[in-house]
Amino acid sequence: MPPSPITRAEISRSRLAGNFQRLRSLARSNSNDECCDLLAVVKADAYGHGVSLCAPWLAEAGAEWLGVTSAEEGVAVRRLCPQSNILVMRGLLAGEAEMLLDANLAPTIWDHEHLQLLEEAVLRQQLAAGSIPVHLEIDTGMSRQGLPCTASEVEKFLDHLREIPALRLDGVYTHFASPEMLDAEQNSQQMARFQQGVELIYTAGFRPQWLHAGNSSSVLGQQLAGPLAALAARRGGVARCMIRPGIALYGYASRFVGEQAATAEAARAVLQPVLTWKTAIASLRTVGPGASVGYDATFVASNKMRLALLPVGYADGLNRKLSNRGHVLVHGVAAPIVGRISMDLTVVDVSHVPNATIGDEVVLLGEQNGLRVTADDHARWAETISYEILCAISARVPRVSCE
Ligand SMILES: *Cc1c(COP(=O)(O)O)cnc(C)c1O
């Protein structure tokens, strides 16, 4: 075996599968029967975890559906997962239609423009009636994507859809603005609008198989699966429902607010971070009082200090806001980042880790001897969210699989 790269992200198969199974059980138990499924979101290179590892692992763990952003991402996932259903969640753009059809991806549609693009591609390929699955997104209150949920807009759109027999309305969905605000009025309003939209679609004679909504917070918050399953059940066995978790599969989630927050936080606490980001000490030096560290001399030693050099910087995705703020783990001890993080290098204080030696393992994200640094810690230091921290780990850092 080739030696492990020094800076690497280890991606745990058992943790990913474990998170998927925990979330699925939660969705199922909250839907009071076996009907609520999960669509596993693997967009943005599986939130920075490496889609080539994660998509097949999720499919093996039982995910029937995988969600991506673009046709290009979908084509990559299709090569990895020949049997999976793949939803492209952003509306389709010019040039994507042929790719979607060739790779048997389900596009999200809501705009007449989407139907035109698909119609042109369908005519060129002469496809059989009902052979292309499409999912209609309904805008229930985010004003971002989706068909406005009024009777006239929905009817006009469905009339247009009917004119293209190759397209089969396989799913209808919506997205929530603040699912972690458990008591927010907006959640129930959005759900009510979604129900109205679904009603209009069935009244018009369409029989979509999948009704889906929500994200990680919707699974952990445990308020969506019941109403969603009830909505599907009212369709007399034709429809199934799904929730679409992304970040929670990888072991993270937003913080919850509201009366039931403790229950949701308890569910969140059981998730296991899938990614461990490691490097090793490249060099060590001792400096005296008054020595400045790094660009712009933003750190000046007040005492004699032992400094370790790490071969990782912001080009690897280590957020520059962690300069003089964050810490890493060395020998199971927190070692503060001192001075500015450079493009390829970072200096940490190991004065209190006397046995630190060149080549010793350093954990940027993950656990060491029972101590943990999480993407939530990085997000706090960098004033952002865990999602951005994980997605920012750059392509230069190899993703390697581990148990
Ligand atoms: C990204 C995304 C999700 C997953 O969101 P998380 O907050 O990561 O769980 C679900 N649905 C849609 C439409 C998305 O774009």
Side-chain angles (χ1 to χ4, degrees):
M1 278 225 312
S4 278
I6 288 171
T7 301
R8 63 188 186 277
E10 293 178 356
I11 310 299
S12 165
R13 179 183 188 141
S14 58
R15 287 182 168 205
L16 183 67
N19 290 339
F20 175 82
Q21 268 135 21
R22 273 187 283 276
L23 292 164
R24 190 172 59 179
S25 310
L26 202 57
R28 287 186 175 172
S29 64
N30 285 300
S31 58
N32 302 320
D33 57 25
E34 293 282 299
C35 133
C36 202
D37 273 289
L38 301 184
L39 177 150
V41 180
V42 295
K43 65 191 178 191
D45 200 28
Y47 291 53
H49 291 62
V51 75
S52 58
L53 296 174
C54 295
W57 289 347
L58 287 163
E60 272 169 46
E64 279 182 60
W65 278 92
L66 300 169
V68 297
T69 289
S70 62
E72 194 176 2
E73 285 186 356
V75 167
V77 173
R78 171 58 71 220
R79 283 195 204 105
L80 299 159
C81 304
Q83 307 299 328
S84 301
N85 297 309
I86 301 171
L87 177 69
V88 179
M89 299 188 297
R90 188 189 61 206
L92 88 138
L93 305 180
E96 288 188 323
E98 309 270 344
M99 285 165 84
L100 287 160
L101 301 189
D102 291 344
N104 188 26
L105 311 173
T108 293
I109 57 167
W110 71 83
D111 203 309
H112 291 273
E113 164 79 9
H114 299 149
L115 291 175
Q116 257 150 37
L117 291 170
L118 286 169
E119 184 166 29
E120 286 157 20
V122 162
L123 288 177
R124 278 196 292 276
Q125 302 204 1
Q126 302 198 329
L127 293 154
S131 57
I132 314 298
V134 294
H135 285 220
L136 170 59
E137 180 167 354
I138 299 180
D139 178 11
T140 57
M142 275 194 84
S143 312
R144 203 178 64 166
Q145 289 203 151
L147 184 66
C149 191
T150 65
S152 67
E153 292 280 1
V154 172
E155 279 156 22
K156 206 160 43 154
F157 191 81
L158 294 175
D159 286 343
H160 191 176
L161 178 61
R162 245 191 283 267
E163 287 166 18
I164 314 167
L167 305 185
R168 176 180 87 252
L169 186 61
D170 182 52
V172 178
Y173 76 97
T174 195
H175 199 49
F176 293 118
S178 342
E180 52 285 333
M181 315 285 281
L182 294 172
D183 305 330
E185 184 84 18
Q186 194 180 8
N187 292 329
S188 35
Q189 281 169 358
Q190 286 198 262
M191 189 61 193
R193 283 194 202 118
F194 185 55
Q195 283 162 347
Q196 287 161 15
V198 169
E199 199 62 50
L200 290 168
I201 287 160
Y202 276 83
T203 305
F206 287 87
R207 294 287 175 269
Q209 194 191 350
W210 292 101
L211 304 177
H212 52 105
N215 68 348
S216 297
S217 300
S218 310
V219 182
L220 297 167
Q222 304 173 51
Q223 296 180 338
L224 179 63
L228 198 57
L231 182 64
R234 281 208 290 283
R235 302 300 147 200
V238 206
R240 297 168 66 189
C241 70
M242 299 191 280
I243 306 180
R244 304 180 304 263
I247 192 89
L249 296 168
Y250 310 100
Y252 291 94
S254 307
R255 291 240 167 252
F256 288 90
V257 180
E259 292 252 348
Q260 302 299 317
T263 313
E265 287 294 334
R268 177 183 187 268
V270 183
L271 300 171
Q272 295 288 320
V274 170
L275 181 148
T276 302
W277 189 3
K278 291 180 177 171
T279 188
I281 295 176
S283 176
L284 283 156
R285 73 187 55 217
T286 300
V287 298
S292 77
V293 181
Y295 284 120
D296 304 332
T298 60
F299 183 89
V300 178
S302 48
N303 305 300
K304 187 173 148 188
M305 288 178 83
R306 186 90 172 133
L307 301 177
L309 181 68
L310 310 182
V312 58
Y314 60 78
D316 300 284
L318 187 62
N319 196 297
R320 194 162 163 277
K321 284 210 176 132
L322 269 60
S323 302
N324 293 312
R325 241 174 159 179
H327 63 249
V328 302
L329 303 177
V330 183
H331 289 249
V333 176
I337 294 172
V338 289
R340 285 241 204 278
I341 292 171
S342 317
M343 185 183 288
D344 309 311
L345 298 168
T346 298
V347 177
V348 297
D349 176 11
V350 292
S351 305
H352 52 302
V353 196
N355 45 353
T357 310
I358 289 177
D360 286 354
E361 179 184 281
V362 175
V363 169
L364 301 160
L365 271 180
E367 295 151 23
Q368 203 184 44
N369 302 355
L371 213 60
R372 203 179 238 208
V373 178
T374 66
D376 291 320
D377 295 324
H378 280 223
R380 199 176 61 251
W381 293 325
E383 296 164 63
T384 181
I385 53 176
S386 57
Y387 297 71
E388 188 182 356
I389 297 295
L390 295 167
C391 291
I393 300 172
S394 75
R396 188 159 85 177
V397 180
R399 274 62 170 177
V400 299
S401 68
C402 70
E403 232 345 272

